[in-house]
Amino acid sequence: MSEIPETASNVVWQSSPPGSIYDYIKVASFSIGADGLVDQWSRRAVDLFGITAEEVRGRDPVEVFMPAELRPRGHRQVAEILDGKEWTGLVPFRMPGGGRAHGVAEVYVMPSETESGERAALCLVVDVRALRRIETDLAASQAIFGQSPFGFLLFGTDLTVQRTNERFATVFGGTAADHRGRTVHDYLSRPEAERMNASLRRVLETGESAIDLQIVGAVPGSTERRHWSINLYRVHSGSGRPVGVAGIGTDVTRRQIAAREAASARRNLALLNEASARIGNSLDLETTARELLDVAVPGFCDLASVDLYQGLLTGDEAPPGRADGSAELRRVAFASAVSDAPLVTTPGWGPKGSTPTAVGAVHRYPFNSPCAGALRTARVKSIPGEDGTLVQSTLAVPMVAHDTVVGLVQFSRTKGSEPFGERDQALAVELAARAAVCIDNARLYRREHERALILQRSLLPPGDPEAAGLDIACRYLPGNTATEVGGDWFDVIELPGHRTALVVGDVMGRGLRAAVAMGELRTAVRTLALLDLEPAEVLSALDEIARGLGSPSGAQQASRVAHKSRDADLSEVYLATCVYAVYDPVTRRCTFANAGHLPPVLVEPGEEALLLDVPPGMPLGVGGEPFEEVEVELPEDALLALYTDGLVESRDHPLDEGLRAFRTALTDPVRPLEDVCDHVLNTLDTRHGEDDIALLMARIQGLPLEAVGDWRLPREPRSVGRARELARAQLVAWDLEALVDTVELLVSELVTNALRYGEGEIRLRLLRDRTLVCEVWDAGLVQPRRRRARDTDEGGRGLQLVGLLSAAWGSRRTPRGKTVWFELALPDGDSTAEPTVEQLLSMF
């Protein structure tokens, strides 16, 4: 609506509103008639001089309120006024209430005429004190308003600018008068102007001041964003009537920048602290990449992705990547803080509309792309966003660990977010570097873990081992990739006489060193077992070997100086636990020796599982204590279980509870042995992967009586013939006529040697299982030694003949002498090739 000009027809007559200038000045008036006496006296004059109209009307004004010494001059001035002369001056007067207090009034006298044409005067009187106060207030107001270094505005009740100071005009252009009548929409964007208008209305309506109202805008001729702090308060007239809102604006752009930088520094420190706590908790490459993005999004950026070199993920030994940065990479992680945001294509590396790179996809960056340049130079690249995409800018940061680039991480901010600054680039490089070191450590660990696992598995028995008189099943479960490979191992070793050695051990510690130590101990066990030593002797020798593994001089030196190094630092040796058991299928007796390992578990048919009472002894590598042996007779169809601590011990439950659960899982051993193994592993919930697990189970079967031939022969020459007869008859009974001639010849040689070089009674035993074993026992301690006879010798070729005709032969000590044995393959098996004529003649 256009404004209507004021005319005589639309002027509204009304009383002067309270708080007008007249209320401050308090102008009084009175009139003097032609006789020089007061004829009219206003109410303001009553208030000013303290004299009522009745007291002054008809009296000489000079006599009423002027001091006596000034009255002559006052009479002259009144006479001049009545002669038609205007006069303005200061006139002292007595203050209301009497006494000696005097005031000073500024009097303006205007000549006038009465109705009869006589000369009179109209006097306007103002208290000089009120004028001085107004002048002082105006001067102070003008000084504060005009000289203030802050922008000052006065809005009227219609929210238009009534007045501004020079400081405001200097910032927004023109003079102070040019801004009169403007609104906030002339200075601010629409959202900010509406927010400012809402605050002005609220202050005008409620009277509550608005303190530190933050407004953002730009000054004319500049696109730089400025920040102002605005304080608003309502302005009142003298009577308390609201007349507008005053605003004081302060440019706080620098303060905002400093505060933003401080907040950014605090945020960066918080992000680095969070990165230290969250990145690298896993030794998995992909998990570490996701941990990096969990820290960066949304605290640092809106979108992020991690690409790792494909060669690094596949375990290549060579440093990943090519010099030009275009080697194959795999996207291993992506994160977005934008709801329903698609996987955007990396700006600058592909044409618009190209297919986004999904997680798990293998791709390459073109040679001229910024990402390839970042990988090639190992320096961060800032990539601006493209039109039509939601990305404002991207930082392509190479992941460098130990001077090797392992991948690329991209941090992106969407349009509307604050752009990346120098601090942000430094933070991005630091985050990428920390993640790169963790990823490289994970890569090195995985390589060592795989090597240790390959080594460990290569040293374990392939498939399910076979043994005479035993049904064997075994399981080995390595720890997961988050835990290092341990030193668990098990073994099944065939011994002479169809006996079997069962071994389960655990090297303390983890990693490749533990796996190597396990391999050395396993090899030593096999070597010692083939010497046919007693179980306690095997563990004693292993203890000496274990104490030498940690020193550069090796086991041999450690064995020589063991008695001088009782106080050696145990951190330099490998400690291991081990159970070594030897089972004889003929007697169904098993001899155990234990070096600090968990006890074996035995389940007899129809009975509960029991822990065998085998003295644990000290772990291998400690030394100083002998090992004890325990011999246990095992009933037919009994179940024997050897295991490592990973099966029964974890962080979730104590060892006793795990052993109790293990025994409970073995209470029904009737099912097939493979099913028993699976049942144990599933029942005990051993898939947590905290430690390696080795489980060796054997069901006792024993050799049947008809598979054993056992005879005792007197110490006399005719026992040689008797031995041949007994062997021939037994082989015929076993339908092994094809072996009669060979067995008769070899039995003759062994019995003859026992008569010539041995002592005491002679014992002959034949055992038939997967092979045929012949044993000759005597009480002599001298071990047979194979030698090559000279051409002129009449004897000395017996053991050569035994070695030539048998599949294997040897001797071992017994508690009461020695045993010499040989082994032949059964006719339906892989029979040993018959010796040639040249081989036979070479012995004679």
Side-chain angles (χ1 to χ4, degrees):
M1 179 182 294
S2 61
E3 296 184 358
I4 302 176
E6 293 185 359
T7 61
S9 60
N10 59 17
V11 172
V12 179
W13 296 86
Q14 63 180 9
S15 301
S16 177
S20 67
I21 188 63
Y22 302 105
D23 291 333
Y24 292 99
I25 300 178
K26 296 185 178 179
V27 178
S29 65
F30 62 89
S31 61
I32 301 175
D35 53 2
L37 303 177
V38 176
D39 57 1
Q40 290 184 0
W41 189 258
S42 67
R43 293 182 178 179
R44 286 283 179 90
V46 175
D47 297 334
L48 179 61
F49 297 106
I51 304 174
T52 65
E54 290 78 7
E55 292 175 337
V56 74
R57 191 179 292 120
R59 296 180 61 184
D60 185 348
V62 175
E63 298 291 337
V64 172
F65 50 82
M66 289 189 69
E69 65 272 12
L70 297 178
R71 288 174 186 173
R73 184 180 177 182
H75 287 298
R76 290 195 298 272
Q77 293 291 340
V78 173
E80 292 177 0
I81 292 169
L82 293 178
D83 287 339
K85 185 179 179 180
E86 291 186 359
W87 180 79
T88 301
L90 300 177
V91 177
F93 64 94
R94 288 191 296 271
M95 297 292 291
R100 296 184 177 182
H102 290 77
V104 178
E106 184 173 339
V107 181
Y108 175 50
V109 182
M110 297 175 292
S112 62
E113 293 183 356
T114 63
E115 294 179 357
S116 59
E118 294 178 313
R119 292 185 177 181
L122 175 63
C123 302
L124 299 178
V125 185
V126 179
D127 190 345
V128 174
R129 294 174 303 168
L131 290 177
R132 296 296 177 266
R133 285 196 299 269
I134 293 174
E135 289 175 355
T136 302
D137 291 345
L138 288 176
S141 175
Q142 184 61 31
I144 294 174
F145 192 82
Q147 300 174 21
S148 172
F150 309 113
F152 198 101
L153 300 92
L154 180 63
F155 295 91
T157 56
D158 59 352
L159 304 186
T160 60
V161 177
Q162 300 298 314
R163 188 178 180 185
T164 65
N165 64 351
E166 291 298 329
R167 175 60 181 168
F168 183 86
T170 300
V171 175
F172 286 93
T175 64
D178 295 337
H179 296 276
R180 190 184 303 274
R182 294 184 180 180
T183 66
V184 293
H185 288 277
D186 296 315
Y187 307 104
L188 302 174
S189 62
R190 182 174 180 179
E192 292 291 272
E194 291 178 351
R195 195 161 64 89
M196 181 73 173
N197 260 344
S199 298
L200 288 171
R201 291 192 189 93
R202 185 166 56 253
V203 172
L204 187 62
E205 293 172 359
T206 65
E208 296 180 359
S209 301
I211 306 299
D212 196 21
L213 177 65
Q214 297 296 315
I215 296 296
V216 180
V219 298
S222 175
T223 58
E224 181 183 2
R225 289 164 58 92
R226 310 295 296 178
H227 296 261
W228 292 285
S229 173
I230 308 295
N231 296 323
L232 302 176
Y233 59 92
R234 192 168 67 182
V235 179
H236 306 84
S237 65
S239 63
R241 179 176 61 88
V243 296
V245 177
I248 301 176
T250 305
D251 191 334
V252 294
T253 303
R254 291 185 179 179
R255 189 173 72 187
Q256 285 290 333
I257 293 175
R260 186 166 58 248
E261 290 181 352
S264 176
R266 289 193 299 270
R267 181 197 63 190
N268 291 354
L269 288 176
L271 280 174
L272 289 177
N273 183 59
E274 185 180 3
S276 300
R278 298 181 60 182
I279 298 176
N281 293 324
S282 170
L283 289 174
D284 180 73
L285 299 177
E286 291 81 358
T287 302
T288 302
R290 287 193 295 269
E291 290 171 347
L292 169 62
L293 300 193
D294 290 341
V295 173
V297 180
F300 177 68
C301 61
D302 302 314
L303 303 167
S305 63
V306 176
D307 298 322
L308 298 179
Y309 277 115
Q310 179 70 358
L312 180 146
L313 295 171
T314 56
D316 290 348
E317 291 296 326
R322 290 196 344 217
D324 61 1
S326 60
E328 284 189 342
L329 298 106
R330 185 193 305 173
R331 178 146 298 177
V332 296
F334 175 82
S336 171
V338 183
S339 59
D340 302 328
L343 292 172
V344 295
T345 302
T346 303
W349 88 264
K352 292 183 179 179
S354 57
T355 304
T357 305
V359 175
V362 178
H363 63 95
R364 298 176 184 267
Y365 289 115
F367 178 81
N368 294 324
S369 66
C371 292
L375 292 169
R376 184 167 54 250
T377 62
R379 293 183 179 180
V380 61
K381 298 289 184 181
S382 180
I383 309 171
E386 297 178 347
D387 296 337
T389 65
L390 63 91
V391 175
Q392 179 196 73
S393 60
T394 297
L395 294 178
V397 187
M399 306 178 73
V400 183
H402 309 299
D403 297 328
T404 300
V405 178
V406 299
L408 184 76
V409 56
Q410 299 176 62
F411 304 105
S412 300
R413 288 182 179 175
T414 57
K415 293 176 180 177
S417 298
E418 184 177 353
F420 290 113
E422 293 183 2
R423 292 179 182 269
D424 295 325
Q425 288 196 20
L427 176 62
V429 171
E430 179 65 21
L431 289 175
R434 294 194 180 196
V437 171
C438 295
I439 286 176
D440 193 54
N441 291 340
R443 176 182 68 88
L444 295 176
Y445 164 77
R446 185 170 68 177
R447 184 178 65 184
E448 181 176 339
H449 183 274
E450 290 176 351
R451 288 177 177 177
L453 195 59
I454 292 173
L455 173 62
Q456 189 177 43
R457 287 179 172 172
S458 67
L459 296 176
L460 296 176
D464 290 332
E466 296 181 354
L470 293 176
D471 181 14
I472 295 177
C474 52
R475 294 289 186 275
Y476 172 73
L477 298 180
N480 56 35
T481 55
T483 60
E484 294 186 87
V485 171
D488 295 13
W489 92 91
F490 67 91
D491 208 347
V492 178
I493 307 170
E494 293 188 53
L495 300 178
H498 287 316
R499 293 171 306 136
T500 303
L502 304 176
V503 189
V504 168
D506 184 3
V507 176
M508 298 181 186
R510 294 181 178 277
L512 188 59
R513 290 168 57 87
V516 170
M518 179 272 288
E520 293 184 358
L521 290 177
R522 177 181 179 272
T523 302
V525 169
R526 279 192 159 265
T527 302
L528 295 170
L530 293 179
L531 295 178
D532 215 351
L533 300 177
E534 296 296 323
E537 294 177 332
V538 171
L539 293 186
S540 296
L542 280 179
D543 178 61
E544 296 290 340
I545 294 173
R547 278 188 286 167
L549 290 179
S551 62
S553 56
Q556 184 176 1
Q557 179 181 353
S559 177
R560 291 198 305 266
V561 301
H563 64 284
K564 299 180 180 179
S565 58
R566 300 298 184 186
D567 299 328
D569 185 1
L570 292 182
S571 64
E572 297 180 357
V573 302
Y574 285 90
L575 299 180
T577 63
C578 180
V579 169
Y580 185 85
V582 175
Y583 172 69
D584 188 343
V586 179
T587 62
R588 291 201 310 274
R589 301 187 71 84
C590 189
T591 304
F592 296 92
N594 188 355
H597 201 80
L598 295 172
V601 176
L602 179 65
V603 188
E604 298 184 11
E607 302 291 338
E608 294 183 355
L610 298 175
L611 296 176
L612 292 180
D613 186 14
V614 180
M618 299 298 292
L620 303 177
V622 175
E625 294 293 334
F627 297 97
E628 299 183 41
E629 292 182 359
V630 173
E631 188 176 64
V632 179
E633 184 173 353
L634 305 179
E636 191 78 13
D637 291 329
L639 188 64
L640 179 66
L642 305 179
Y643 53 95
T644 57
D645 57 358
L647 182 69
V648 295
E649 187 177 23
S650 73
R651 289 176 294 182
D652 299 331
H653 54 75
L655 178 60
D656 292 342
E657 183 179 336
L659 288 173
R660 187 164 50 251
F662 180 39
R663 292 166 54 193
T664 302
L666 292 174
T667 53
D668 184 17
V670 179
R671 68 183 73 182
L673 201 55
E674 294 290 337
D675 295 344
V676 174
C677 287
D678 295 336
H679 175 70
V680 168
L681 295 178
N682 295 332
T683 302
L684 298 184
D685 189 20
T686 57
R687 303 182 189 276
H688 46 70
E690 294 178 1
D691 194 4
D692 292 3
I693 295 172
L695 174 62
L696 177 61
M697 304 187 71
R699 176 170 282 125
I700 307 302
Q701 295 176 344
L703 288 180
L705 293 177
E706 59 271 15
V708 178
D710 194 352
W711 307 276
R712 298 182 183 273
L713 303 173
R715 189 171 186 80
E716 55 188 26
R718 63 179 182 178
S719 293
V720 177
R722 178 60 178 164
R724 288 198 299 268
E725 293 175 359
L726 294 173
R728 183 188 309 111
Q730 187 64 67
L731 292 178
V732 172
W734 286 342
D735 294 329
L736 297 178
E737 290 86 352
L739 299 179
V740 169
D741 293 339
T742 302
V743 172
E744 283 186 337
L745 177 60
L746 299 184
V747 165
S748 296
E749 292 293 334
L750 294 186
V751 173
T752 300
N753 282 345
L755 288 173
R756 181 176 299 179
Y757 305 107
E759 298 177 5
E761 187 182 39
I762 299 173
R763 182 181 178 187
L764 173 65
R765 189 168 73 170
L766 294 179
L767 306 175
R768 187 196 66 182
D769 192 68
R770 290 175 293 118
T771 61
L772 177 68
V773 174
C774 176
E775 298 175 331
V776 175
W777 306 47
D778 69 81
L781 299 178
V782 178
Q783 296 291 323
R785 182 172 60 89
R786 181 177 178 180
R787 66 181 179 86
R788 186 173 185 85
R790 295 188 298 269
D791 294 341
T792 58
D793 292 343
E794 295 182 359
R797 297 177 179 83
L799 293 181
Q800 283 185 269
L801 186 64
V802 173
L804 182 63
L805 296 180
S806 64
W809 79 278
S811 66
R812 68 177 185 273
R813 292 180 302 168
T814 63
R816 297 172 182 171
K818 68 176 180 298
T819 300
V820 183
W821 58 270
F822 67 84
E823 183 176 357
L824 295 174
L826 299 181
D828 56 349
D830 296 331
S831 60
T832 303
E834 292 292 334
T836 63
V837 175
E838 289 77 7
Q839 289 175 326
L840 292 174
L841 291 177
S842 67
M843 295 185 294
F844 297 95

